[in-house]
Amino acid sequence: MANIMIQRGSKTEYVFYLPKRDLEDDIVSMEFDSPEKWGGEIKLNNGGTYYIDPQSKPAKLPISLRAKRLDAAE
Amino acid sequence: MSALTREETEALIQEVLEVYPEKAKKDRAKHLTVNDQSIEQSKKCITSNRKSLPGVMTIRGCAYAGSKGVVWGPIKDMIHISHGPVGCGQYSRAGRRNYYVGMTGVNSFGTMNFTSDFQEKDIVFGGDKKLAKVMTEIEALFPLNKGVSIQSECPIGLIGDDIEAVAKKTTAETGKPVVPVRCEGFRGVSQSLGHHIANDAIRDWVLPRREGKAFEGTPYDVAVIGDYNIGGDAWSSRILLEEMGLRVVAQWSGDGTISEMEKTPFVKMNLIHCYRSMNYIARHMEEKYSIPWMEYNFFGPTKVAESLRAIAAHFDDKIKEGAERVIAKYQAMMDEIIAKYKPRLQGKKVMLYVGGLRPRHVIGAYEDLGMEVVGTGYEFGHNDDYDRTIKDMGNATLIYDDVTGFEFEEFVKRIKPDLVGSGIKEKFIFQKMGVPFRQMHSWDYSGPYHGYDGFAIFARDMDMTLNNPCWSKMTAPWLKKEEPVAEKEAA
């Protein structure tokens, strides 16, 4: 589990930021993206995949969350 | 682009790596690369923010240097106690030239050194009592201080002193903020972690202090973050922002005060100059107080104009007009400077090795003068810094992370730049090698270099260094006749 931050992006809707790795990347797809259910599996532009527990859509971004790494692109 | 081709540069890196033992070679190879603008993510070509190798000369500092020297030190109306043995504070005292206005020793304390001067008995029995005593003395001797920060040196973490408890107790007594900063020097691989720790201390101990209090704001409130006022940099940046109609509420942290920092959560926008040292707090404020932030670059007229427009784009038409007005106002002055210095500096090659934001930010200023940056590197940069650098640098130029003394010298010998920009530790080596050199940490006792006024000084300084007649005197007079070529090269 790692602390991450999800922000609004300019190119894509969301940007993923992992401070520990200085990783800042566009989120290309998010499993759930509706007001009630938001989160799940996140795919990054660099090919990495992370998982955040599905929750209701946050009222404002950026937001700090805990994420699980499924597949990091190295 | 650069004088060397990609293959030649790659061969150069291999050649330099040849002297290392197998293991060190493997490690250092990851930190040296040839720039390729097509790469999106720096991770693919360069490793950064890793522990330096034992036995090589590194130019990095420690976490204490990052916190006391960079982030906290310039806050002028606070007293920053170097908590621990006397040396760390004394040898770094006033070296950074972050200017401030105020009466030193009365209401400003920027260039003074406060230390708890640890002795053997403090290590054995703990230093908390001494720290509390130091605080009482500070209150008696300097009653106009607006707060105290406790900058831990290595022993504090090792012996496990509870500086937080002392801080809370003293705050309760004096009512002034007392900020314990756990920036022991052994933490992390470079000063970069010190910046982070200092940012976290500001987040926890400073920003919440005025939450819910009244603040008379305007829609044009901004904070300048990550400008340390080296030689007056923040002042020459601030006037441009004010001229275009913005209200600069806070300066972090050059010539800054604790109350400015406490007011920052009320601003409309955070402007970040040094991304490396202050992005943490900007991200925090974005999340907690919904303050957007952006990076800007005030080196050289091209980048200043670009940045002023980018900043104005976040505000209404009044500011946009203001930005155009400011750019137009200084255009004539800039054209004059470029007309004067460009012919003297055109085509010269520069190699940089500094920290923070400068390895990428000053490239624009050199390009405005017709110069070319052929190599750059960060002391303590992270991957996100290199991500931003790749696009600013030409193809096939050298990029080196945490370069060692040996590597840097070899690179300079082979690439033969006309100017090297780095710090004091490299200065005399390169000057003795006959290479013109500017200190790009402290602007070589000159400055400011930010903004339009700064560019005038920057251009003059570069010309003064590069075209200094002393470089033609590098060969002894009695050797000159035989080697007239060598003289020409040095000039």
Side-chain angles (χ1 to χ4, degrees):
Chain A
M1 295 291 264
N3 282 317
I4 60 139
M5 193 186 252
I6 292 184
Q7 314 157 338
R8 288 223 181 280
S10 50
K11 273 180 279 170
T12 52
E13 194 180 355
Y14 303 116
V15 170
F16 177 94
Y17 178 63
L18 176 58
K20 267 270 154 76
R21 297 260 172 280
D22 297 308
L23 174 66
E24 195 169 16
D25 208 346
D26 295 332
I27 294 177
V28 286
S29 78
M30 191 184 273
E31 199 179 346
F32 310 109
D33 192 3
S34 59
E36 313 83 57
K37 204 176 184 195
W38 183 88
E41 221 173 279
I42 304 173
K43 281 203 170 61
L44 304 185
N45 194 22
N46 70 1
T49 327
Y50 288 81
Y51 178 83
I52 51 174
D53 285 330
Q55 51 183 292
S56 56
K57 194 170 184 169
K60 63 171 193 179
L61 289 177
I63 185 170
S64 288
L65 296 164
R66 302 274 287 168
K68 200 156 57 186
R69 189 184 64 198
L70 299 178
D71 180 26
E74 275 311 325
Chain B
M1 302 305 287
S2 102
L4 298 178
T5 63
R6 171 168 298 275
E7 288 71 36
E8 280 172 323
T9 319
E10 269 161 13
L12 170 63
I13 292 177
Q14 286 313 317
E15 193 183 308
V16 169
L17 286 170
E18 221 35 64
V19 296
Y20 288 121
E22 202 53 46
K23 210 176 149 196
K25 188 172 151 189
K26 206 175 137 208
D27 185 272
R28 284 304 306 160
K30 294 179 201 155
H31 295 264
L32 308 170
T33 190
V34 186
N35 192 32
D36 181 354
Q37 282 172 324
S38 63
I39 289 183
E40 281 281 311
Q41 280 205 316
S42 61
K43 234 179 212 172
K44 292 184 179 122
C45 60
I46 198 157
T47 309
S48 54
N49 201 30
R50 290 284 179 276
K51 192 170 163 292
S52 303
L53 281 175
V56 299
M57 290 285 284
T58 174
I59 292 138
R60 283 176 163 176
C62 65
Y64 164 84
S67 177
K68 157 78 175 26
V70 176
V71 177
W72 282 99
I75 303 169
K76 60 181 175 180
D77 62 354
M78 284 181 89
I79 285 176
H80 310 287
I81 304 175
S82 299
H83 188 39
V86 66
C88 303
Q90 179 57 22
Y91 290 105
S92 61
R93 183 189 74 87
R96 200 148 162 271
R97 303 178 62 251
N98 27 251
Y99 288 177
Y100 56 90
V101 275
M103 191 67 83
T104 306
V106 179
N107 59 7
S108 309
F109 311 94
T111 51
M112 295 172 79
N113 175 31
F114 294 86
T115 176
S116 48
D117 186 21
F118 260 39
Q119 303 296 321
E120 215 173 320
K121 80 172 197 327
D122 301 312
I123 303 284
V124 176
F125 298 108
D128 285 344
K129 272 192 194 133
K130 192 170 198 177
L131 181 62
K133 198 176 161 206
V134 169
M135 305 269 208
T136 324
E137 274 178 28
I138 283 175
E139 258 328 285
L141 290 170
F142 305 99
L144 292 182
N145 79 73
K146 294 281 162 53
V148 176
S149 80
I150 306 161
Q151 308 286 334
S152 322
E153 292 168 12
C154 296
I156 309 309
L158 295 171
I159 63 177
D161 271 8
D162 192 358
I163 55 171
E164 284 82 3
V166 182
K168 279 183 188 140
K169 197 173 139 255
T170 325
T171 314
E173 278 165 22
T174 61
K176 292 175 183 174
V178 179
V179 185
V181 190
R182 284 284 181 185
C183 57
E184 288 89 353
F186 55 76
R187 289 181 197 269
V189 296
S190 64
Q191 54 265 61
S192 189
L193 189 68
H195 305 144
H196 199 155
I197 293 168
N199 276 230
D200 288 354
I202 294 174
R203 179 194 69 196
D204 296 340
W205 297 80
V206 178
L207 293 186
R209 285 178 59 84
R210 290 204 194 195
E211 259 169 27
K213 295 222 177 119
F215 178 79
E216 213 171 292
T218 71
Y220 305 120
D221 289 352
V222 294
V224 173
I225 294 190
D227 195 323
Y228 300 104
N229 206 23
I230 311 291
D233 276 343
W235 296 328
S236 63
S237 307
R238 186 185 177 126
I239 54 165
L240 299 180
L241 297 172
E242 283 176 348
E243 244 174 279
M244 67 190 257
L246 296 171
R247 187 169 82 143
V248 180
V249 174
Q251 260 174 254
W252 291 44
S253 55
D255 195 34
T257 59
I258 179 82
S259 55
E260 282 176 35
M261 301 186 101
E262 287 169 1
K263 281 176 201 153
T264 310
F266 300 107
V267 301
K268 297 289 174 293
M269 178 117 192
N270 280 324
L271 306 174
I272 313 286
H273 205 245
C274 182
Y275 170 84
R276 180 70 275 133
S277 60
M278 289 282 197
N279 78 77
Y280 318 100
I281 200 77
R283 287 178 196 276
H284 167 72
M285 283 197 263
E286 186 182 23
E287 184 173 4
K288 191 166 179 198
Y289 306 102
S290 310
I291 304 168
W293 58 280
M294 62 169 288
E295 289 170 64
Y296 69 102
N297 178 357
F298 268 5
F299 284 104
T302 315
K303 291 285 176 193
V304 177
E306 228 172 73
S307 297
L308 287 177
R309 289 195 178 110
I311 293 167
H314 289 87
F315 293 91
D316 61 11
D317 286 342
K318 189 187 141 205
I319 303 295
K320 282 178 194 144
E321 267 164 48
E324 293 306 324
R325 198 178 57 237
V326 173
I327 295 166
K329 180 184 163 192
Y330 287 97
Q331 195 58 49
M333 178 186 150
M334 288 299 109
D335 290 344
E336 203 177 299
I337 288 161
I338 291 173
K340 182 173 175 191
Y341 292 109
K342 200 169 179 178
R344 298 167 65 84
L345 298 167
Q346 184 89 42
K348 301 281 188 198
K349 291 182 291 175
V350 189
M351 271 176 90
L352 297 169
Y353 177 58
V354 269
L357 67 152
R358 285 148 296 174
R360 65 172 178 275
H361 268 34
V362 295
I363 295 171
Y366 281 115
E367 280 170 355
D368 284 333
L369 290 171
M371 296 163 84
E372 189 194 352
V373 180
V374 294
T376 195
Y378 293 83
E379 263 177 49
F380 52 84
H382 296 200
N383 277 325
D384 40 0
D385 291 303
Y386 288 98
D387 285 343
R388 289 162 168 79
T389 314
I390 290 171
K391 289 177 189 68
D392 286 336
M393 285 292 283
N395 256 324
T397 49
L398 252 185
I399 296 187
Y400 29 82
D401 176 65
D402 185 27
V403 76
T404 67
F406 167 76
E407 286 163 11
F408 199 22
E409 274 172 49
E410 290 302 306
F411 287 151
V412 169
K413 274 182 206 159
R414 281 290 300 278
I415 293 180
K416 296 199 180 66
D418 300 288
L419 179 73
V420 175
S422 193
I424 185 71
K425 297 178 224 88
E426 296 80 51
K427 179 174 184 172
F428 301 105
I429 298 163
F430 290 119
Q431 289 192 337
K432 285 172 186 175
M433 280 163 68
V435 183
F437 186 95
R438 286 300 296 184
Q439 264 192 75
M440 294 304 282
H441 289 285
S442 66
W443 307 147
D444 231 338
Y445 319 108
S446 176
Y449 284 179
H450 290 181
Y452 287 116
D453 293 321
F455 182 70
I457 298 163
F458 175 82
R460 183 205 65 191
D461 284 357
M462 293 308 138
D463 175 50
M464 188 168 84
T465 310
L466 258 166
N467 297 316
N468 195 307
C470 77
W471 305 117
S472 61
K473 306 276 183 281
M474 292 301 289
T475 338
W478 57 90
L479 296 171
K480 252 184 186 170
K481 266 174 204 146
E482 294 141 63
E483 283 184 281
V485 189
E487 183 206 351
K488 214 175 183 183
E489 241 176 42

